[in-house]
Amino acid sequence: MSVMSVGDRRRPATLVHTSDCHLEKTDGGPEQLAFRAVIDMAIDRQADVLLIAGDLFDHNRVNEEIVVWVAGQLNRFPGPVVLLVGNHDSLHDASVHRRHDLRDTCDRLIMLDHPEGKILDLPGTDITIWGRAMVEHSPEFRPLANAPMGQADRWSVIAAHGLVEAEAGRSSPMSTKEISELSADYVALGHVHVHTIVHESPPTRYSGATHVHWTDTSGCVVVDFIPGEGARAQWVSVDKYLSVDVKAQSSN
Ligand SMILES: [Mn+2]
């Protein structure tokens, strides 16, 4: 169900939802181009919040060069950036996020870094985001377990990285039943690389990877929170921002 009240006083807000950026190489390739383009689009649209729903990095051994580049990109966005980890950058002891804490260089970055879940009230907005940090990508990890009830005076967003309607024994499972019982205005998923509308109420989507190799598309989901109506989500191509040569540029 969606959280809705008569006389909705929540301020309108726009959230950019991306995931599965799989950043690793610093060769100015399609992953870097797409990530940079998502940031440009979010700035252009004056989005209030940028949410990354897991797999920002491709693996836990990425070198410092790409971490520094990512920090530079995130710092270009003027609002809060919320980061959930995924199975490629999960939060175990050898995690890239433990070796290189992006919060050291990104003042506006907030991490959903608690294994049991963490609620964040985002500064300057009426958006609240909850998500559980994945430590091990295993069948026991249930990304939506113990999700809190949304509050009527906040835009409630749930972020999760895993597989909806996974076969038995697959890791990080979520069920359609669980999703339909969530009390939230929007559910932001990561893990599936193709943009997918998973559920209508609450609106639930996989943003898809910032760059999808096999279709050669780059984009993310823009979510507008509209008082009295709820969340209006749309996948947006970032093709028009791809032309700049990333490698030739500094972090700006
Ligand atoms: Mn994943």
Side-chain angles (χ1 to χ4, degrees):
M1 65 189 144
S2 292
V3 183
M4 194 74 71
S5 62
V6 180
D8 194 344
R9 293 181 177 207
R10 296 173 292 187
R11 290 171 288 176
T14 300
L15 173 145
V16 169
H17 164 205
T18 189
S19 74
D20 301 277
C21 316
H22 289 277
L23 292 158
E24 174 200 14
K25 300 187 181 109
T26 47
D27 58 356
E31 286 81 10
Q32 276 187 290
L33 283 169
F35 189 71
R36 187 184 190 285
V38 165
I39 304 278
D40 280 335
M41 189 276 292
I43 294 168
D44 243 17
R45 293 201 175 212
Q46 298 183 293
D48 298 285
V49 176
L50 173 65
L51 169 63
I52 302 165
D55 292 353
L56 171 63
F57 293 109
D58 189 58
H59 57 77
N60 283 310
R61 301 169 311 283
V62 296
N63 63 31
E64 194 171 349
E65 197 182 342
I66 189 67
V67 178
V68 169
W69 183 85
V70 166
Q73 293 301 317
L74 295 179
N75 279 330
R76 294 170 52 226
F77 182 70
V81 178
V82 177
L83 179 62
L84 179 73
V85 299
N87 56 305
H88 284 256
D89 58 354
S90 53
L91 213 54
H92 49 66
D93 290 346
S95 176
V96 56
H97 299 293
R98 297 207 186 277
R99 282 189 298 124
H100 301 284
D101 194 330
L102 283 164
R103 290 171 292 196
D104 293 343
T105 46
C106 301
D107 289 345
R108 290 178 302 281
L109 181 77
I110 314 173
M111 281 185 80
L112 292 165
D113 59 354
H114 199 291
E116 297 301 323
K118 186 165 168 177
I119 298 182
L120 302 172
D121 286 336
L122 299 180
T125 78
D126 291 338
I127 298 176
T128 295
I129 300 189
W130 176 90
R132 302 185 75 176
M134 182 191 296
V135 178
E136 295 292 342
H137 184 47
S138 68
E140 289 72 40
F141 177 67
R142 300 204 61 101
L144 295 175
N146 305 319
M149 294 281 292
Q151 303 159 259
D153 59 346
R154 306 286 301 175
W155 299 113
S156 302
V157 176
I158 289 174
H161 195 95
L163 203 55
V164 177
E165 293 303 323
E167 293 160 39
R170 296 288 297 273
S171 296
S172 305
M174 297 178 270
S175 71
T176 307
K177 182 171 182 292
E178 267 181 303
I179 290 170
S180 66
E181 289 169 357
L182 291 172
S183 159
D185 294 287
Y186 181 70
V187 182
L189 302 182
H191 195 46
V192 169
H193 284 200
V194 176
H195 167 244
T196 309
I197 299 172
V198 172
H199 206 70
E200 293 293 343
S201 180
T204 304
R205 295 187 184 219
Y206 282 107
S207 60
T210 44
H211 177 75
V212 182
H213 282 280
W214 61 90
T215 55
D216 195 26
T217 50
S218 300
C220 60
V221 170
V222 176
V223 187
D224 288 312
F225 294 102
I226 301 161
E229 182 183 321
R232 199 184 286 172
Q234 188 185 18
W235 185 86
V236 173
S237 164
V238 293
D239 280 358
K240 72 172 187 174
Y241 300 100
L242 291 175
S243 55
V244 180
D245 180 357
V246 170
K247 216 178 171 187
Q249 295 218 334
S250 66
S251 59
N252 290 311

